[in-house]
Amino acid sequence: MKHWMSRCAALIGTVLSLSSFAQDCQEVSLYKNGENGKIEDVMNTFPEKPEWVTNWGEMDGMKPPYIRFSGMKDQVGDWTGVLSFDALPQKVKGGNLKVKVRSSQKGKMGFWLQGPFGTSPVAFKTVEANKTMSFEIPVANLVGNASTQIEKIGVGLFDVPAFQYTILFIDDVAFTCAEKAGSLANVDGVETSATENVSQKYVYSDIDARSTVREGKFAKSEFPEASAAYSSGERLKLADSINALIVISESEHQQIASFVKDASLTPLLSSKGWYRNMFYLARNRLKENVIANPKALYYEAGIFAAEEDNRAMPILIGNVDYAYRVCADTTCATKTFLNSRMLQAGLPSAVVRGSKLRLHYDPYFVSTNRSALPSLSVYANGAWNVLEPKSELDVQFNAAGVQKLPVKLSEGGLVVEQNLYVEVK
């Protein structure tokens, strides 16, 4: 009897919980009438790029515009893609994934979901040739009954015959039970707006960027400085012959100078490049405590970015005067020194999660031996935006995959334009 009553109480609790959520959920359209969408290039095996707003006329209840996938391959295989829409991510609990499809050939179609939980199993459906079909796939069948954040939707055609040109149309994609905007409980139990995925409480630093002391903003452990390239004797000798606190080789200087002009950078090289260049400067110091430790800044910025699921990042800036050695004669028996300056920006991660990235300009993440903070502008959302120190900027990306983020830095008469590269997922 007690066992039956316990099960009954548990059932009542579950029903009440679901009822409570149902009051706060609504149907949310992800694609209808040509809303923006994108497909991850690295996960796309459809033969041709999708058309996101196409019109082949009204087809048995499917009204334009709609998404069109098409192509042909010379061998049997699966065609898959991971889609994102402007309305994602969405927090869902129960309900269905609704989608309207039409295929030029009979076949097997699959749907799956992605989010912080990873990738769900695939729900398979049979599509008939030249027939508009509406599917409703229970979300619980893919990700369980728990409240879940959905970031992307996977679609695929499976066992597609060789040498068969196939067209697939998709429209009216929606979740029937997504959390209403303004609800405060998210998947992880952290209170945050349902339409906001980045921190609202970033605390900026009042630190003088020239200060080499950083109190540890996001990291508890200290990061040691790079080992010095010069012995104490070499330091004294160089210090007597040149009025500079950092002296690097000509090849290191060339790598620093060419970095901002390199159009072949991958997102990973773009992110690592800032730290590499600052490392050259830090290790070639002629005394201790010349600039704030770039290794510490890079890893601390990365810690914050990770805590924000790579949806918000501090922008890293290096603004450092230095000298470099060049040959003074054809045999390079003697060398002379030329003055230069590194003025570059960087991001602590190569990956951005979601279509929006919040950038923070915090003096804490500027490593410099100069007295003024650089002016920073970011080309985003179709225009150049001035990003003042101790402020933030939301950058909207219109597609997944590798994206370019142009920035402009200026200080002390030097103006540098460079492209930061990220992979939007």
Side-chain angles (χ1 to χ4, degrees), residues 101-277:
V101 302
R102 183 181 181 91
S103 175
S104 63
Q105 309 290 341
K106 182 177 181 179
K108 181 169 68 172
M109 190 171 181
F111 304 89
W112 63 96
L113 303 175
Q114 289 187 356
F117 53 85
T119 300
S120 77
V122 180
F124 293 103
K125 298 288 183 179
T126 299
V127 290
E128 301 294 335
N130 299 312
K131 180 180 180 181
T132 298
M133 308 181 73
S134 295
F135 297 127
E136 293 202 20
I137 302 159
V139 170
N141 289 357
L142 300 177
V143 296
N145 291 316
S147 179
T148 307
Q149 180 169 288
I150 306 300
E151 296 176 346
K152 297 180 179 68
I153 296 174
V155 297
L157 286 173
F158 295 84
D159 301 321
V160 182
F163 303 106
Q164 173 181 284
Y165 194 88
T166 301
I167 303 173
L168 173 68
F169 299 98
I170 296 179
D171 196 13
D172 295 345
V173 185
F175 284 118
T176 63
C177 192
E179 183 179 283
K180 288 183 178 180
S183 181
L184 292 180
N186 79 358
V187 180
D188 300 318
V190 180
E191 292 191 353
T192 180
S193 167
T195 58
E196 186 59 78
N197 299 298
V198 297
S199 173
Q200 296 288 329
K201 299 180 180 179
Y202 188 96
V203 179
Y204 291 96
S205 302
D206 293 322
I207 195 168
D208 182 345
R210 289 177 298 176
S211 171
T212 60
V213 178
R214 297 293 192 270
E215 66 274 17
K217 193 175 181 75
F218 300 113
K220 295 181 180 179
S221 59
E222 294 184 358
F223 296 93
E225 281 198 288
S227 300
Y230 303 110
S231 66
S232 57
E234 289 172 322
R235 284 184 172 189
L236 289 173
K237 184 178 179 180
L238 283 170
D240 288 339
S241 60
I242 186 172
N243 185 26
L245 294 177
I246 297 172
V247 179
I248 66 176
S249 68
E250 185 176 11
S251 64
E252 289 168 331
H253 162 74
Q254 290 173 345
Q255 290 183 69
I256 291 173
S258 63
F259 178 71
V260 295
K261 303 174 184 178
D262 191 347
S264 64
L265 292 173
T266 65
L268 183 59
L269 290 176
S270 178
S271 175
K272 295 290 187 182
W274 183 89
Y275 172 63
R276 180 204 65 184
N277 294 342

Side-chain angles (χ1 to χ4, degrees), residues 209-213 225 235 244-247 278 281-294 319-322 367-370:
R210 289 177 298 176
S211 171
T212 60
V213 178
E225 281 198 288
R235 284 184 172 189
L245 294 177
I246 297 172
V247 179
M278 291 297 295
L281 301 178
R283 77 187 186 108
N284 284 283
R285 61 193 182 274
L286 300 186
K287 68 175 187 178
E288 297 304 307
N289 300 319
V290 174
I291 56 175
N293 183 359
N319 185 24
V320 183
D321 289 303
Y322 66 90
S367 183
T368 185
N369 54 11
R370 298 178 64 86

Side-chain angles (χ1 to χ4, degrees), residues 353-391:
R353 298 286 182 187
S355 62
K356 186 171 72 174
L357 171 66
R358 177 162 293 174
L359 294 175
H360 296 278
Y361 185 1
D362 188 345
Y364 185 95
F365 290 101
V366 179
S367 183
T368 185
N369 54 11
R370 298 178 64 86
S371 58
L373 284 171
S375 298
L376 171 63
S377 298
V378 180
Y379 190 84
N381 315 320
W384 281 102
N385 303 266
V386 176
L387 186 54
E388 299 288 347
K390 300 184 184 180
S391 70

Side-chain angles (χ1 to χ4, degrees), residues 295-316:
K295 181 179 182 180
L297 300 187
Y298 183 81
Y299 282 105
E300 279 206 75
I303 289 170
F304 173 80
E307 290 176 348
E308 295 295 321
D309 194 29
N310 283 13
R311 300 177 189 272
M313 300 179 195
I315 193 160
L316 298 155

